PDB file of all heavy atoms in Angstrom:
ATOM      1  N   ASP A  20     177.135 -16.100 118.112  1.00 92.00           N
ATOM      2  CA  ASP A  20     178.470 -16.337 117.584  1.00 92.00           C
ATOM      3  C   ASP A  20     179.459 -15.378 118.229  1.00 92.00           C
ATOM      4  O   ASP A  20     179.062 -14.444 118.955  1.00 92.00           O
ATOM      5  CB  ASP A  20     178.474 -16.161 116.064  1.00 92.00           C
ATOM      6  CG  ASP A  20     179.633 -16.882 115.387  1.00 92.00           C
ATOM      7  OD1 ASP A  20     180.406 -17.559 116.089  1.00 92.00           O
ATOM      8  OD2 ASP A  20     179.749 -16.758 114.157  1.00 92.00           O
ATOM      9  N   PRO A  85     172.949 -14.431 114.155  1.00 88.00           N
ATOM     10  CA  PRO A  85     173.827 -13.570 114.967  1.00 88.00           C
ATOM     11  C   PRO A  85     174.046 -12.208 114.348  1.00 88.00           C
ATOM     12  O   PRO A  85     174.096 -12.051 113.128  1.00 88.00           O
ATOM     13  CB  PRO A  85     175.144 -14.369 115.032  1.00 88.00           C
ATOM     14  CG  PRO A  85     175.085 -15.322 113.904  1.00 88.00           C
ATOM     15  CD  PRO A  85     173.646 -15.597 113.620  1.00 88.00           C
ATOM     16  N   ASN A  86     174.130 -11.207 115.200  1.00 88.00           N
ATOM     17  CA  ASN A  86     174.471  -9.857 114.763  1.00 88.00           C
ATOM     18  C   ASN A  86     175.651  -9.382 115.604  1.00 88.00           C
ATOM     19  O   ASN A  86     175.807  -9.777 116.762  1.00 88.00           O
ATOM     20  CB  ASN A  86     173.293  -8.903 114.944  1.00 88.00           C
ATOM     21  CG  ASN A  86     172.972  -8.657 116.397  1.00 88.00           C
ATOM     22  OD1 ASN A  86     172.762  -9.593 117.144  1.00 88.00           O
ATOM     23  ND2 ASN A  86     172.941  -7.412 116.808  1.00 88.00           N
ATOM     24  N   ARG A  87     176.496  -8.560 115.021  1.00 82.00           N
ATOM     25  CA  ARG A  87     177.688  -8.110 115.714  1.00 82.00           C
ATOM     26  C   ARG A  87     178.208  -6.861 115.036  1.00 82.00           C
ATOM     27  O   ARG A  87     177.852  -6.568 113.880  1.00 82.00           O
ATOM     28  CB  ARG A  87     178.750  -9.213 115.713  1.00 82.00           C
ATOM     29  CG  ARG A  87     179.182  -9.625 114.333  1.00 82.00           C
ATOM     30  CD  ARG A  87     179.998 -10.919 114.381  1.00 82.00           C
ATOM     31  NE  ARG A  87     180.784 -11.062 113.171  1.00 82.00           N
ATOM     32  CZ  ARG A  87     181.376 -12.195 112.811  1.00 82.00           C
ATOM     33  NH1 ARG A  87     181.276 -13.266 113.569  1.00 82.00           N
ATOM     34  NH2 ARG A  87     182.087 -12.255 111.718  1.00 82.00           N
ATOM     35  N   PRO A  88     179.042  -6.078 115.712  1.00 84.00           N
ATOM     36  CA  PRO A  88     179.467  -4.780 115.157  1.00 84.00           C
ATOM     37  C   PRO A  88     180.498  -4.885 114.044  1.00 84.00           C
ATOM     38  O   PRO A  88     180.614  -3.954 113.235  1.00 84.00           O
ATOM     39  CB  PRO A  88     180.046  -4.062 116.378  1.00 84.00           C
ATOM     40  CG  PRO A  88     180.494  -5.156 117.288  1.00 84.00           C
ATOM     41  CD  PRO A  88     179.503  -6.264 117.094  1.00 84.00           C
ATOM     42  N   ASP A  89     181.267  -5.975 113.972  1.00 87.00           N
ATOM     43  CA  ASP A  89     182.307  -6.096 112.953  1.00 87.00           C
ATOM     44  C   ASP A  89     181.697  -6.635 111.661  1.00 87.00           C
ATOM     45  O   ASP A  89     181.893  -7.792 111.290  1.00 87.00           O
ATOM     46  CB  ASP A  89     183.459  -6.975 113.444  1.00 87.00           C
ATOM     47  CG  ASP A  89     182.975  -8.289 114.045  1.00 87.00           C
ATOM     48  OD1 ASP A  89     181.757  -8.411 114.308  1.00 87.00           O
ATOM     49  OD2 ASP A  89     183.812  -9.181 114.242  1.00 87.00           O
ATOM     50  N   VAL A  90     180.946  -5.772 110.970  1.00 89.00           N
ATOM     51  CA  VAL A  90     180.154  -6.218 109.826  1.00 89.00           C
ATOM     52  C   VAL A  90     181.013  -6.643 108.641  1.00 89.00           C
ATOM     53  O   VAL A  90     180.530  -7.356 107.743  1.00 89.00           O
ATOM     54  CB  VAL A  90     179.164  -5.117 109.396  1.00 89.00           C
ATOM     55  CG1 VAL A  90     178.155  -4.860 110.489  1.00 89.00           C
ATOM     56  CG2 VAL A  90     179.893  -3.829 109.020  1.00 89.00           C
ATOM     57  N   GLU A  91     182.272  -6.211 108.591  1.00 89.00           N
ATOM     58  CA  GLU A  91     183.123  -6.565 107.458  1.00 89.00           C
ATOM     59  C   GLU A  91     183.792  -7.930 107.636  1.00 89.00           C
ATOM     60  O   GLU A  91     184.395  -8.452 106.693  1.00 89.00           O
ATOM     61  CB  GLU A  91     184.200  -5.485 107.260  1.00 89.00           C
ATOM     62  CG  GLU A  91     183.646  -4.086 107.007  1.00 89.00           C
ATOM     63  CD  GLU A  91     182.785  -4.016 105.752  1.00 89.00           C
ATOM     64  OE1 GLU A  91     183.050  -4.786 104.811  1.00 89.00           O
ATOM     65  OE2 GLU A  91     181.847  -3.192 105.714  1.00 89.00           O
ATOM     66  N   VAL A  92     183.723  -8.502 108.833  1.00 88.00           N
ATOM     67  CA  VAL A  92     184.356  -9.796 109.083  1.00 88.00           C
ATOM     68  C   VAL A  92     183.411 -10.906 108.623  1.00 88.00           C
ATOM     69  O   VAL A  92     182.253 -10.943 109.043  1.00 88.00           O
ATOM     70  CB  VAL A  92     184.679  -9.965 110.586  1.00 88.00           C
ATOM     71  CG1 VAL A  92     185.268 -11.351 110.851  1.00 88.00           C
ATOM     72  CG2 VAL A  92     185.638  -8.876 111.034  1.00 88.00           C
ATOM     73  N   PRO A  93     183.874 -11.810 107.761  1.00 90.00           N
ATOM     74  CA  PRO A  93     182.995 -12.885 107.290  1.00 90.00           C
ATOM     75  C   PRO A  93     182.476 -13.749 108.430  1.00 90.00           C
ATOM     76  O   PRO A  93     183.169 -14.005 109.409  1.00 90.00           O
ATOM     77  CB  PRO A  93     183.909 -13.697 106.354  1.00 90.00           C
ATOM     78  CG  PRO A  93     184.986 -12.753 105.949  1.00 90.00           C
ATOM     79  CD  PRO A  93     185.202 -11.858 107.133  1.00 90.00           C
ATOM     80  N   ARG A  94     181.249 -14.221 108.292  1.00 91.00           N
ATOM     81  CA  ARG A  94     180.669 -15.112 109.277  1.00 91.00           C
ATOM     82  C   ARG A  94     181.212 -16.528 109.084  1.00 91.00           C
ATOM     83  O   ARG A  94     181.689 -16.889 108.004  1.00 91.00           O
ATOM     84  CB  ARG A  94     179.141 -15.138 109.143  1.00 91.00           C
ATOM     85  CG  ARG A  94     178.381 -14.118 109.959  1.00 91.00           C
ATOM     86  CD  ARG A  94     178.885 -12.716 109.809  1.00 91.00           C
ATOM     87  NE  ARG A  94     178.002 -11.755 110.519  1.00 91.00           N
ATOM     88  CZ  ARG A  94     178.303 -10.504 110.697  1.00 91.00           C
ATOM     89  NH1 ARG A  94     179.441 -10.001 110.251  1.00 91.00           N
ATOM     90  NH2 ARG A  94     177.461  -9.694 111.331  1.00 91.00           N
ATOM     91  N   ARG A  95     181.093 -17.339 110.127  1.00 92.00           N
ATOM     92  CA  ARG A  95     181.566 -18.713 110.035  1.00 92.00           C
ATOM     93  C   ARG A  95     180.765 -19.486 108.980  1.00 92.00           C
ATOM     94  O   ARG A  95     179.546 -19.330 108.876  1.00 92.00           O
ATOM     95  CB  ARG A  95     181.404 -19.432 111.375  1.00 92.00           C
ATOM     96  CG  ARG A  95     182.192 -18.848 112.525  1.00 92.00           C
ATOM     97  CD  ARG A  95     181.794 -19.592 113.786  1.00 92.00           C
ATOM     98  NE  ARG A  95     182.253 -18.912 114.977  1.00 92.00           N
ATOM     99  CZ  ARG A  95     183.250 -19.358 115.749  1.00 92.00           C
ATOM    100  NH1 ARG A  95     183.880 -20.461 115.423  1.00 92.00           N
ATOM    101  NH2 ARG A  95     183.596 -18.697 116.835  1.00 92.00           N
ATOM    102  N   THR A  96     181.453 -20.321 108.249  1.00 95.00           N
ATOM    103  CA  THR A  96     180.794 -21.140 107.233  1.00 95.00           C
ATOM    104  C   THR A  96     179.709 -22.004 107.851  1.00 95.00           C
ATOM    105  O   THR A  96     178.620 -22.171 107.288  1.00 95.00           O
ATOM    106  CB  THR A  96     181.814 -22.021 106.509  1.00 95.00           C
ATOM    107  OG1 THR A  96     182.793 -21.181 105.879  1.00 95.00           O
ATOM    108  CG2 THR A  96     181.144 -22.874 105.447  1.00 95.00           C
ATOM    109  N   VAL A  98     177.841 -21.407 110.427  1.00 96.00           N
ATOM    110  CA  VAL A  98     176.663 -20.588 110.725  1.00 96.00           C
ATOM    111  C   VAL A  98     175.886 -20.296 109.447  1.00 96.00           C
ATOM    112  O   VAL A  98     174.651 -20.415 109.401  1.00 96.00           O
ATOM    113  CB  VAL A  98     177.086 -19.278 111.415  1.00 96.00           C
ATOM    114  CG1 VAL A  98     175.906 -18.317 111.517  1.00 96.00           C
ATOM    115  CG2 VAL A  98     177.648 -19.563 112.799  1.00 96.00           C
ATOM    116  N   LEU A  99     176.583 -19.918 108.391  1.00 97.00           N
ATOM    117  CA  LEU A  99     175.913 -19.613 107.124  1.00 97.00           C
ATOM    118  C   LEU A  99     175.221 -20.854 106.564  1.00 97.00           C
ATOM    119  O   LEU A  99     174.101 -20.763 106.043  1.00 97.00           O
ATOM    120  CB  LEU A  99     176.924 -19.066 106.116  1.00 97.00           C
ATOM    121  CG  LEU A  99     177.628 -17.767 106.516  1.00 97.00           C
ATOM    122  CD1 LEU A  99     178.630 -17.356 105.442  1.00 97.00           C
ATOM    123  CD2 LEU A  99     176.625 -16.649 106.756  1.00 97.00           C
ATOM    124  N   SER A 117     172.664  -5.596 112.651  1.00 90.00           N
ATOM    125  CA  SER A 117     173.631  -6.086 111.676  1.00 90.00           C
ATOM    126  C   SER A 117     173.398  -7.535 111.306  1.00 90.00           C
ATOM    127  O   SER A 117     174.142  -8.104 110.490  1.00 90.00           O
ATOM    128  CB  SER A 117     175.056  -5.904 112.206  1.00 90.00           C
ATOM    129  OG  SER A 117     175.226  -6.586 113.430  1.00 90.00           O
ATOM    130  N   GLY A 118     172.391  -8.174 111.877  1.00 93.00           N
ATOM    131  CA  GLY A 118     172.034  -9.521 111.451  1.00 93.00           C
ATOM    132  C   GLY A 118     171.667  -9.589 109.991  1.00 93.00           C
ATOM    133  O   GLY A 118     171.749 -10.661 109.371  1.00 93.00           O
ATOM    134  N   PHE A 120     173.403  -8.421 107.651  1.00 95.00           N
ATOM    135  CA  PHE A 120     174.635  -8.796 106.964  1.00 95.00           C
ATOM    136  C   PHE A 120     174.804 -10.319 106.964  1.00 95.00           C
ATOM    137  O   PHE A 120     175.242 -10.907 105.972  1.00 95.00           O
ATOM    138  CB  PHE A 120     175.843  -8.140 107.647  1.00 95.00           C
ATOM    139  CG  PHE A 120     176.032  -6.683 107.308  1.00 95.00           C
ATOM    140  CD1 PHE A 120     175.290  -5.701 107.949  1.00 95.00           C
ATOM    141  CD2 PHE A 120     176.953  -6.293 106.358  1.00 95.00           C
ATOM    142  CE1 PHE A 120     175.468  -4.366 107.652  1.00 95.00           C
ATOM    143  CE2 PHE A 120     177.143  -4.956 106.043  1.00 95.00           C
ATOM    144  CZ  PHE A 120     176.396  -3.984 106.695  1.00 95.00           C
ATOM    145  N   THR A 121     174.474 -10.953 108.084  1.00 95.00           N
ATOM    146  CA  THR A 121     174.590 -12.407 108.179  1.00 95.00           C
ATOM    147  C   THR A 121     173.652 -13.079 107.184  1.00 95.00           C
ATOM    148  O   THR A 121     174.044 -14.014 106.473  1.00 95.00           O
ATOM    149  CB  THR A 121     174.264 -12.873 109.608  1.00 95.00           C
ATOM    150  OG1 THR A 121     175.070 -12.146 110.537  1.00 95.00           O
ATOM    151  CG2 THR A 121     174.520 -14.355 109.769  1.00 95.00           C
ATOM    152  N   GLU A 124     174.952 -12.492 103.645  1.00 96.00           N
ATOM    153  CA  GLU A 124     176.130 -13.303 103.369  1.00 96.00           C
ATOM    154  C   GLU A 124     175.747 -14.756 103.113  1.00 96.00           C
ATOM    155  O   GLU A 124     176.406 -15.453 102.319  1.00 96.00           O
ATOM    156  CB  GLU A 124     177.119 -13.210 104.528  1.00 96.00           C
ATOM    157  CG  GLU A 124     178.508 -13.712 104.184  1.00 96.00           C
ATOM    158  CD  GLU A 124     179.520 -13.426 105.280  1.00 96.00           C
ATOM    159  OE1 GLU A 124     179.272 -12.524 106.115  1.00 96.00           O
ATOM    160  OE2 GLU A 124     180.557 -14.110 105.282  1.00 96.00           O
ATOM    161  N   ARG A 146     178.255  -4.183  99.330  1.00 95.00           N
ATOM    162  CA  ARG A 146     178.556  -5.611  99.399  1.00 95.00           C
ATOM    163  C   ARG A 146     177.436  -6.484  98.844  1.00 95.00           C
ATOM    164  O   ARG A 146     177.703  -7.554  98.294  1.00 95.00           O
ATOM    165  CB  ARG A 146     178.828  -6.019 100.851  1.00 95.00           C
ATOM    166  CG  ARG A 146     180.132  -5.503 101.416  1.00 95.00           C
ATOM    167  CD  ARG A 146     180.332  -5.981 102.844  1.00 95.00           C
ATOM    168  NE  ARG A 146     180.345  -7.440 102.938  1.00 95.00           N
ATOM    169  CZ  ARG A 146     180.314  -8.111 104.088  1.00 95.00           C
ATOM    170  NH1 ARG A 146     180.255  -7.440 105.235  1.00 95.00           N
ATOM    171  NH2 ARG A 146     180.349  -9.421 104.102  1.00 95.00           N
TER     172      ARG A 146
END
Side-chain angles (χ1 to χ4, degrees):
D20 202 3
N86 68 306
R87 60 192 200 194
D89 49 347
V90 296
E91 301 300 330
V92 177
R94 270 50 174 171
R95 298 174 193 252
T96 300
V98 170
L99 299 179
S117 58
F120 282 81
T121 307
E124 195 172 339
R146 289 181 59 190

